[in-house]
C-alpha cells in the first residue's frame, strides 16, 4: 500500500510538471498568435509610451532650455528693428559771438541717423533666420529625448520580462525538486539531485535580485528623463513580440531629418547675413536741426534784429574704406562652403546609422526566430524526459541541462525583442 501511494504521488508530481510545461507551451502559442497581429498587441502600451514622451517634452529641463533660447532669438527681432539713438545737444556761449543781427547766446541741436533703405528689414530677416535655427534645435532635442525615453522604456520591459521568466523557471525547479524528493523515497534519485536543483534555484534567485537592482536604476534614469521623482513606478507592457513584417522605410526620408535641415537653415541665415552686409555697406543718412537764440542789438533798428537762427541739416556717412564689408562677404562665402561640407558629412553619418540600425533590427528578427525553434526543440526534449520518468527512469542532470537551455533561449528571445524595438526607434528617429 505504501509503494502504491508513492507511485501515485510520483505520477501526480509528474502530471504537475507536465501541466506546468503545457501552460508555458500555451503561453508561447498565444505569443505566436499575437506575433501574427504585429504591433496591434501593444497598441495601448504604445499610446502609454507616447504619453511618456509627451510628458518628457513638457517637463525635461533641456527642452525647456532650448525653448528659452528660441524665445530669446525671437525677441532679437524686436531688438534689431530699432533706429540709432537720437542725438540731442545743448551749448551756452560763455563769450557771446556778435553777428549782424545780434549776439548768439546758445546752441541747441537734434539729429537722427537713418540706415540705408531696407537695412532694418534685412536685420529682421537675419534675426528671424537665427530664430528658425533655434527652432530646428528644439526639434532635434525633442527627437533625441523621445529616442532616449523609448530605449529606456524597452530596457525596462526587457528587465521585467526576464524577471517574470526567472519566476516561472524558479517555480518549475520547485516542482522538479518535489519530483526529486519523491524519487529519492523510491530510490530513483539521490539527495545530490535534490541539492543540485536547490543550487540552481539559488542561482536563478540571485539573477532575479540583480535584475531588480538594474530595474530600479533604469527606472531612475527613465524618471529623470521625464523630470519627475525617481521612485515613481513605470508602467511597462507585459508582453512584446516582433511583428511578422517590418515597416518599409526609405533612406530618402533622411533628407527631412532635422539634423540635416539644420544645415539648410544655417545656409539660409548666412544668405540673410550677406544681404544685411550689403545693406550696411551702403551710406547712412542723417537729418538734424540746429537752433541758436540771438539777442537784439539795442543800439540799432533794422529788420531781423535779434532773429533766432534755425538751421536744418542733412548728413551722409559714406563707408569709403569698405575692406571690412568685403571681408565679411568673403567670410560668408566660405561659411556656406563649410556648411555644405558639414551637411554632406552628417548625411554620411546618418546613412551609416540607418544601415546599421536596419541590419541590427534584421539580426534581432533572425535571432528571435532561431531562439523560437530552439525553445520548441528544448520543450520537446523536456517532454521526452517526463515521459521517460513515467516509465520509471529520469536523469535530473538532463533535466537541469534542458532547463538551463530553455532559460537561455527565453532570455535571448527577450533580448532580441528589445533589440528589435530599440533599433526601430533609431530608424524612426532617422527617418520620421
Amino acid at each position: 500500500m505504501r509503494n502504491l501511494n508513492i507511485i501515485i504521488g510520483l505520477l501526480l508530481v509528474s502530471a504537475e510538471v507536465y501541466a506546468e510545461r503545457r501552460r508555458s507551451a500555451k503561453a508561447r502559442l498565444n505569443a505566436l498568435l499575437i506575433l501574427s497581429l504585429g504591433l496591434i498587441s501593444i497598441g495601448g502600451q504604445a499610446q502609454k509610451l507616447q504619453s511618456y514622451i509627451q510628458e518628457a517634452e513638457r517637463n525635461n529641463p533641456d527642452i525647456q532650455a532650448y525653448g528659452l533660447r528660441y524665445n530669446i532669438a525671437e525677441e532679437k527681432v524686436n531688438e534689431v528693428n530699432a533706429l540709432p539713438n537720437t542725438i540731442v545737444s545743448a551749448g551756452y556761449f560763455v563769450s557771446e559771438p556778435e553777428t549782424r543781427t545780434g549776439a548768439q547766446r546758445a546752441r541747441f541741436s537734434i539729429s537722427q541717423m537713418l540706415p540705408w533703405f531696407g537695412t532694418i528689414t534685412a536685420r529682421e530677416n537675419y534675426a528671424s533666420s537665427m530664430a528658425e535655427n533655434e527652432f530646428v534645435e528644439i526639434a532635434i532635442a525633442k527627437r533625441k529625448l523621445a529616442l532616449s525615453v523609448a530605449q529606456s522604456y524597452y530596457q525596462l520591459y526587457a528587465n521585467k520580462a526576464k524577471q517574470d521568466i526567472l519566476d516561472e523557471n524558479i517555480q518549475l525547479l520547485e516542482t522538479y525538486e518535489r519530483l526529486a524528493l519523491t524519487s529519492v523515497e523510491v530510490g530513483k534519485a539521490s539527495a545530490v539531485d535534490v541539492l543540485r536543483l536547490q543550487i540552481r534555484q539559488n542561482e536563478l534567485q540571485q539573477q532575479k535580485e540583480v535584475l531588480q537592482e538594474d530595474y530600479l536604476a533604469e527606472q531612475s534614469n527613465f524618471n529623470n528623463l521625464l523630470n519627475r521623482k525617481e521612485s515613481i513606478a513605470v508602467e511597462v507592457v507585459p508582453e512584446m513580440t516582433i511583428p511578422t513584417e517590418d515597416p518599409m522605410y526609405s533612406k530618402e526620408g533622411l533628407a527631412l531629418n532635422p539634423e540635416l535641415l539644420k544645415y539648410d537653415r544655417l545656409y539660409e541665415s548666412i544668405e540673410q547675413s550677406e544681404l544685411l552686409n550689403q545693406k550696411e555697406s551702403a551710406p547712412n543718412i542723417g537729418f538734424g536741426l540746429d537752433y541758436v537764440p540771438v539777442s537784439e542789438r539795442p543800439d540799432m533798428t533794422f529788420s531781423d534784429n535779434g532773429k533766432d537762427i534755425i538751421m536744418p541739416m542733412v548728413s551722409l556717412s559714406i563707408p569709403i574704406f569698405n575692406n571690412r564689408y568685403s571681408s565679411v562677404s568673403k567670410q560668408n562665402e566660405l561659411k556656406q562652403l563649410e556648411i555644405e561640407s558639414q551637411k554632406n558629412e552628417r548625411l554620411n553619418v546618418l546613412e551609416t546609422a540607418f544601415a546599421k540600425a536596419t541590419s541590427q533590427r534584421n539580426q534581432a528578427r533572425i535571432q528571435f526566430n532561431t531562439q523560437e525553434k530552439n525553445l520548441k526543440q528544448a520543450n520537446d526534449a523536456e517532454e521526452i524526459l517526463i515521459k521517460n520518468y513515467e516509465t520509471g527512469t529520469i536523469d535530473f542532470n538532463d533535466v537541469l541541462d534542458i532547463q538551463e537551455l530553455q532559460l537561455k533561449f527565453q532570455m535571448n528571445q527577450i533580448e532580441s525583442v528589445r533589440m528589435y524595438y530599440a533599433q526601430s526607434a533609431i530608424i524612426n528617429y532617422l527617418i520620421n
Side-chain angles (χ1 to χ4, degrees):
M1 178 62 68
R2 181 175 179 276
N3 290 337
L4 178 60
N5 290 334
I6 292 175
I7 293 173
I8 292 174
L10 289 173
L11 291 175
L12 288 175
V13 174
S14 65
E16 183 180 352
V17 174
Y18 183 72
E20 181 72 25
R21 300 313 305 182
R22 290 294 295 173
R23 284 193 293 271
S24 299
K26 183 179 180 181
R28 286 192 295 273
L29 178 59
N30 290 336
L32 288 176
L33 292 175
I34 295 173
L35 179 62
S36 66
L37 297 176
L39 295 176
I40 297 176
S41 60
I42 60 168
Q45 289 295 332
Q47 293 179 354
K48 184 64 177 177
L49 174 57
Q50 184 62 31
S51 69
Y52 281 138
I53 293 174
Q54 291 172 352
E55 182 179 353
E57 290 178 354
R58 290 193 303 269
N59 301 334
N60 187 269
D62 194 35
I63 299 298
Q64 292 174 356
Y66 275 105
L68 292 173
R69 286 172 57 182
Y70 174 67
N71 293 336
I72 293 172
E74 277 192 318
E75 191 60 32
K76 285 284 185 180
V77 178
N78 297 326
E79 175 189 339
V80 298
N81 64 7
L83 293 174
N85 292 339
T86 301
I87 299 175
V88 179
S89 61
Y92 181 76
F93 293 107
V94 178
S95 176
E96 297 179 354
E98 289 287 345
T99 65
R100 187 184 66 83
T101 58
Q104 298 180 3
R105 294 175 297 172
R107 180 187 296 271
F108 301 95
S109 300
I110 182 172
S111 63
Q112 176 67 59
M113 295 299 295
L114 299 175
W116 193 254
F117 303 103
T119 301
I120 293 180
T121 300
R123 290 174 182 170
E124 290 178 346
N125 293 338
Y126 176 66
S128 297
S129 67
M130 297 303 294
E132 290 179 3
N133 292 339
E134 296 297 339
F135 186 79
V136 175
E137 292 289 350
I138 293 177
I140 295 173
K142 285 184 175 181
R143 279 198 175 213
K144 290 182 177 179
L145 177 62
L147 177 60
S148 297
V149 171
Q151 290 183 329
S152 180
Y153 181 87
Y154 297 140
Q155 185 63 46
L156 288 173
Y157 154 75
N159 189 299
K160 188 69 170 61
K162 289 177 181 179
Q163 291 187 53
D164 293 340
I165 290 297
L166 287 172
D167 280 334
E168 292 178 6
N169 280 268
I170 290 172
Q171 293 174 7
L172 181 62
L173 286 174
E174 290 174 351
T175 304
Y176 281 137
E177 183 184 354
R178 292 194 296 272
L179 178 61
L181 289 171
T182 307
S183 299
V184 169
E185 294 183 16
V186 296
K188 292 185 177 181
S190 67
V192 175
D193 294 325
V194 177
L195 292 174
R196 286 176 178 171
L197 289 167
Q198 291 174 345
I199 291 172
R200 182 60 179 160
Q201 291 179 55
N202 294 338
E203 291 177 348
L204 297 190
Q205 185 63 36
Q206 171 190 308
Q207 292 181 35
K208 180 184 175 183
E209 292 175 1
V210 171
L211 284 174
Q212 287 174 339
E213 292 298 323
D214 288 341
Y215 185 89
L216 293 176
E218 189 59 42
Q219 179 178 268
S220 175
N221 174 55
F222 185 89
N223 286 326
N224 284 330
L225 289 172
L226 274 63
N227 194 32
R228 62 184 191 178
K229 291 184 178 179
E230 295 181 355
S231 58
I232 295 178
V234 180
E235 298 180 19
V236 296
V237 60
E239 185 175 16
M240 294 175 63
T241 54
I242 296 179
T244 53
E245 295 182 358
D246 297 327
M248 297 301 297
Y249 294 108
S250 173
K251 71 176 183 179
E252 279 71 21
L254 289 172
L256 300 178
N257 188 288
E259 290 194 34
L260 293 181
L261 294 178
K262 176 181 71 173
Y263 294 104
D264 294 337
R265 295 293 179 269
L266 287 173
Y267 192 93
E268 292 173 4
S269 68
I270 298 301
E271 289 182 339
Q272 295 298 329
S273 175
E274 179 57 25
L275 290 175
L276 175 59
N277 181 56
Q278 295 297 328
K279 291 295 183 180
E280 289 184 340
S281 65
N284 291 333
I285 303 174
F287 298 92
L289 183 70
D290 275 8
Y291 171 70
V292 179
V294 178
S295 300
E296 292 185 359
R297 299 183 65 172
D299 55 342
M300 299 181 65
T301 301
F302 56 90
S303 62
D304 296 336
N305 186 14
K307 185 177 180 180
D308 296 339
I309 300 172
I310 299 176
M311 183 175 64
M313 294 185 300
V314 177
S315 60
L316 195 64
S317 173
I318 303 175
I320 298 176
F321 306 100
N322 60 353
N323 291 337
R324 169 180 175 270
Y325 302 103
S326 299
S327 176
V328 170
S329 296
K330 183 61 177 180
Q331 292 175 43
N332 287 335
E333 181 181 351
L334 294 174
K335 286 179 181 178
Q336 288 180 326
L337 294 175
E338 178 190 12
I339 290 172
E340 288 179 351
S341 298
Q342 290 176 340
K343 180 180 179 180
N344 292 332
E345 172 61 22
R346 194 59 191 168
L347 178 60
N348 292 336
V349 171
L350 295 182
E351 287 178 345
T352 301
F354 176 77
K356 183 178 180 181
T358 303
S359 174
Q360 292 187 350
R361 186 185 64 177
N362 294 339
Q363 293 175 33
R365 176 182 293 281
I366 294 171
Q367 292 169 0
F368 179 87
N369 293 336
T370 301
Q371 301 306 320
E372 186 67 30
K373 294 177 184 178
N374 291 340
L375 190 57
K376 181 179 182 304
Q377 293 171 347
N379 292 336
D380 292 341
E382 183 188 36
E383 291 183 6
I384 292 173
L385 290 175
I386 297 301
K387 290 180 180 179
N388 287 341
Y389 170 75
E390 294 173 356
T391 63
T393 61
I394 187 170
D395 188 338
F396 284 98
N397 288 330
D398 291 342
V399 169
L400 281 173
D401 290 341
I402 292 298
Q403 184 274 334
E404 186 174 355
L405 283 174
Q406 287 173 328
L407 178 60
K408 174 185 175 182
F409 299 150
Q410 289 171 324
M411 291 293 199
N412 289 343
Q413 263 196 324
I414 293 172
E415 191 59 28
S416 296
V417 172
R418 186 202 67 79
M419 178 63 69
Y420 179 89
Y421 282 100
Q423 298 306 314
S424 296
I426 293 176
I427 294 174
N428 186 68
Y429 168 84
L430 296 171
I431 298 297
N432 294 332

